[in-house]
Amino acid sequence: MITRQFKIVDEFGSPLYKAHASFSNSNGAVANSSGYVMLNGNPTDQVRISFVGRKPKVFSLESIPPVVTLELNIEEMPEVVVQSNPKKETPKYLWPAIGATVGLLILMSVGSEPKKVTL
């Protein structure tokens, strides 16, 4: 049995908080806020190191380097399409109707005597 402590980071050297380091039997550990993990096991036990959106790496427990860098897994990221709603146009008949209504209101308000308007 050996004990290994190592740090899991991204390509910029920032720690990957809550990255997983697990054996094939699903036992393992989660990285702390500084990216460090400590594992106990047989030297030949296989350890899978993973984090969401990053390419996982597999090492034997004895060969894990002091710092493990996980790169982005661009191949598995789904394509995202952003669309906007089409611009809604004002119906063509609306502007003449508005103009006629305003014109009628102006005609009705001109002068001192009330006028009768027939549509």
Side-chain angles (χ1 to χ4, degrees):
M1 294 287 279
I2 63 169
T3 300
R4 292 299 305 257
Q5 180 176 344
F6 53 95
K7 186 174 185 177
I8 306 172
V9 298
D10 64 13
E11 60 272 14
F12 304 108
S14 300
L16 290 175
Y17 176 54
K18 293 191 176 181
H20 292 222
S22 57
F23 296 106
S24 57
N25 64 4
S26 298
N27 290 337
V30 175
N32 65 16
S33 60
S34 299
Y36 283 99
V37 177
M38 185 178 291
L39 292 175
N40 299 314
N42 294 319
T44 58
D45 287 347
Q46 295 293 301
V47 178
R48 183 177 190 268
I49 301 169
S50 62
F51 189 78
V52 174
R54 308 246 168 209
K55 292 180 184 176
K57 292 187 176 180
V58 178
F59 299 95
S60 65
L61 185 57
E62 65 186 350
S63 69
I64 297 176
V67 177
V68 177
T69 303
L70 297 180
E71 291 85 18
L72 280 174
N73 193 356
I74 296 173
E75 292 96 33
E76 289 189 18
M77 295 181 117
E79 181 180 330
V80 176
V81 177
V82 179
Q83 293 181 331
S84 66
N85 291 334
K87 183 179 176 183
K88 293 183 180 178
E89 293 187 27
T90 305
K92 294 179 182 176
Y93 61 84
L94 188 58
W95 290 116
I98 291 172
T101 303
V102 170
L104 254 165
L105 291 173
I106 291 172
L107 284 174
M108 289 173 50
S109 64
V110 175
S112 58
E113 295 181 24
K115 297 185 172 100
K116 210 178 218 182
V117 178
T118 306
L119 298 179

